[in-house]
Amino acid sequence: MKITTWNVNSLTARLQHVLDWLAANPVDVLALQELKMSDDKFPHDALREAGYEAAVFGQKTYNGVALLSRTPVSDVARNIAGFADEHSRVIAGTVAGPGGPVRVVNGYFVNGQEPGSDKFAYKMAWLTGLQAWLQTELVAHPRLVLVGDFNIAPEDRDSYDPVGLAETIHHTTEERDHFKALIGLGLTDAFRLFEQPEKSFSWWDYRMLGYQKNRGLRIDHILVSPPLLPTVQACSIDRVPRKWPKPSDHAPVTVELG
DNA sequence: ATGACGATCCGAGATCGA
């Protein structure tokens, strides 16, 4: 089965891109971030016509996440249990997979703006809450994938300018320590299980010809739990929709389990 | 140091993102 994560930067603005991409890439599960719409605006009909049912956790203007699936999603949970959050940032659900059910946890991680800011403090608290909740989630659902826009470039090779951007947002030691803590829960970065091109990124700034110059970051990730690790067949970033007119600034990332 | 792009919103410039 294939599971994809994609920050679409407004599903209103990107619905046609999502439909076009799914027509060419009929993955089993598509985890979306930054819907930027309330639940009542969600385009269930158009996606159903494309073959997908959706579990949605929307929010007006900002944030918002959804799980699209060809097969039913059960046991849906919204946000981090035990962590009070004004924002709609996490949706989790269970889908049928090869060899048993797969728990998909889809997160739009906090950006954090700038180290030292209130938003950065919120990012740290959010990550701490996520980690604590995942610990129990992994006990209840050992076959788990954590996907989404992490807003963390885990290593220097995940940034177009690791020296110039050292200790700036996405690159700080604190953020990377949180990423390592997720790995410490037993999760594995599926992308790095395979040989990948140098300077592989999943996000490029709209400004200053960021994409054309490949000035990007790898901040969208797929982490797999130990029981799923031997089933990982492939993991890749699809840059094609980033070249379409009026694109999201993120590219979809896909893992294949089987 | 700032702005550069893009999306959003009681509709123009502010806020946010990364």
Side-chain angles (χ1 to χ4, degrees):
Chain A
M1 75 179 305
K2 288 184 177 178
I3 301 171
T4 299
T5 176
W6 194 7
N7 179 326
V8 290
N9 185 19
S10 167
L11 184 57
T12 308
R14 228 67 63 196
L15 177 59
Q16 196 56 51
H17 277 28
V18 169
L19 294 171
D20 290 348
W21 191 84
L22 284 173
N25 304 272
V27 295
D28 299 277
V29 175
L30 176 58
L32 298 174
Q33 304 91 37
E34 281 212 89
L35 306 178
K36 296 188 172 180
M37 59 169 54
S38 48
D39 287 357
D40 57 303
K41 301 281 199 299
F42 192 87
H44 285 284
D45 292 343
L47 291 164
R48 202 172 285 128
E49 274 188 44
Y52 292 85
E53 287 294 329
V56 182
F57 188 30
Q59 182 184 327
K60 184 177 164 147
T61 310
Y62 299 117
N63 312 306
V65 286
L67 284 174
L68 312 188
S69 176
R70 293 194 160 277
T71 58
V73 182
S74 62
D75 208 1
V76 174
R78 292 172 172 81
N79 266 356
I80 298 166
F83 181 82
D85 198 345
E86 306 276 302
H87 297 171
S88 302
R89 293 186 174 276
V90 176
I91 190 165
T94 302
V95 296
V102 175
R103 185 71 169 169
V104 181
V105 178
N106 171 25
Y108 174 47
F109 291 39
V110 178
N111 173 320
Q113 197 169 53
E114 186 181 6
S117 67
D118 289 350
K119 287 175 181 170
F120 191 83
Y122 167 47
K123 183 174 196 171
M124 295 300 108
W126 190 94
L127 285 162
T128 301
L130 174 72
Q131 189 189 322
W133 172 63
L134 275 176
Q135 236 162 359
T136 61
E137 193 74 358
L138 278 163
V139 174
H141 311 280
R143 296 162 49 88
L144 183 147
V145 293
L146 173 64
V147 310
D149 175 1
F150 284 51
N151 274 315
I152 301 172
E155 301 178 62
D156 280 355
R157 60 180 167 164
D158 299 313
S159 172
Y160 71 95
D161 186 10
V163 175
L165 295 173
E167 296 302 329
T168 66
I169 198 65
H170 306 117
H171 301 70
T172 66
T173 303
E174 294 98 313
E175 292 165 282
R176 288 178 171 179
D177 283 349
H178 272 291
F179 188 89
K180 286 177 191 158
L182 294 173
I183 299 301
L185 295 176
L187 302 176
T188 299
D189 183 348
F191 189 75
R192 292 301 181 199
L193 289 172
F194 304 93
E195 195 165 325
Q196 303 287 359
E198 302 254 322
K199 302 189 187 303
S200 283
F201 307 129
S202 65
W203 169 88
W204 300 262
D205 203 307
Y206 287 123
R207 299 166 290 185
M208 312 280 292
L209 299 173
Y211 182 74
Q212 290 82 344
K213 296 179 177 172
N214 198 28
R215 293 162 63 92
L217 304 174
R218 192 176 71 94
I219 54 178
D220 300 270
H221 305 299
I222 297 177
L223 273 48
V224 302
S225 69
L228 294 178
L229 184 55
T231 75
V232 180
Q233 303 297 314
C235 184
S236 61
I237 299 168
D238 183 5
R239 295 165 55 136
V240 169
R242 187 62 178 80
K243 303 170 192 168
W244 292 345
K246 304 280 284 173
S248 168
D249 43 358
H250 295 254
V253 184
T254 299
V255 70
E256 181 175 2
L257 309 174

